[in-house]
Amino acid sequence: QVQLVESGGGLVQAGDSLRLSCAASGRTPSRYTMGWFRQAPGKERDKVASIRWGGGSTYYADSVKGRFTISRDNAKNTVYLQMNNLKPEDTAVYYCAVWTRNWGDPDYWGQGTQVTVSS
């Protein structure tokens, strides 16, 4: 019921910035919690950041706090992840996610976008 299209990934050098975008369509995505996960090779998929529909409640993993900023534009049904001061350990496939409820695992996933940060 929800389709997610990600963009903005790429190959950058340490210290660079990227802005990921995820456009959602389908069933009232603007009312859903949206967020980003990432998965590096050989590691589990971890939540990076999330934001509730009102935009006032956000979550950040400790590893990205102070460097990444999540935001959303409900009129465009789009969530963003501004990533500053990227580090090699940020290298991963980044997945957009949508929760139709405010608990549990995400219900919908994007296909993922590769972010590679060289040292």
Side-chain angles (χ1 to χ4, degrees):
Q1 291 182 305
V2 176
Q3 297 81 45
L4 305 174
V5 179
E6 300 148 325
S7 62
L11 196 161
V12 299
Q13 294 185 338
D16 286 351
S17 297
L18 281 174
R19 191 191 196 197
L20 305 183
S21 299
C22 174
S25 62
R27 187 184 178 191
T28 58
S30 63
R31 283 280 179 170
Y32 298 159
T33 297
M34 302 181 70
W36 295 90
F37 287 69
R38 68 185 182 186
Q39 187 169 22
K43 296 185 178 180
E44 64 183 2
R45 187 176 298 187
D46 294 324
K47 185 165 68 175
V48 176
S50 63
I51 184 168
R52 293 186 179 178
W53 70 268
S57 181
T58 58
Y59 161 86
Y60 296 97
D62 288 341
S63 58
V64 307
K65 211 164 189 175
R67 298 188 297 120
F68 291 9
T69 302
I70 190 169
S71 62
R72 67 190 296 167
D73 185 340
N74 289 336
K76 297 180 179 180
N77 290 326
T78 300
V79 65
Y80 306 94
L81 186 67
Q82 178 67 45
M83 305 184 294
N84 296 328
N85 191 24
L86 283 162
K87 303 176 180 180
E89 50 262 44
D90 295 318
T91 295
V93 177
Y94 284 70
Y95 297 90
C96 182
V98 167
W99 290 259
T100 59
R101 301 165 297 275
N102 289 321
W103 56 270
D105 293 330
D107 300 285
Y108 299 96
W109 296 90
Q111 290 295 110
T113 183
Q114 178 70 48
V115 173
T116 302
V117 184
S118 62
S119 60

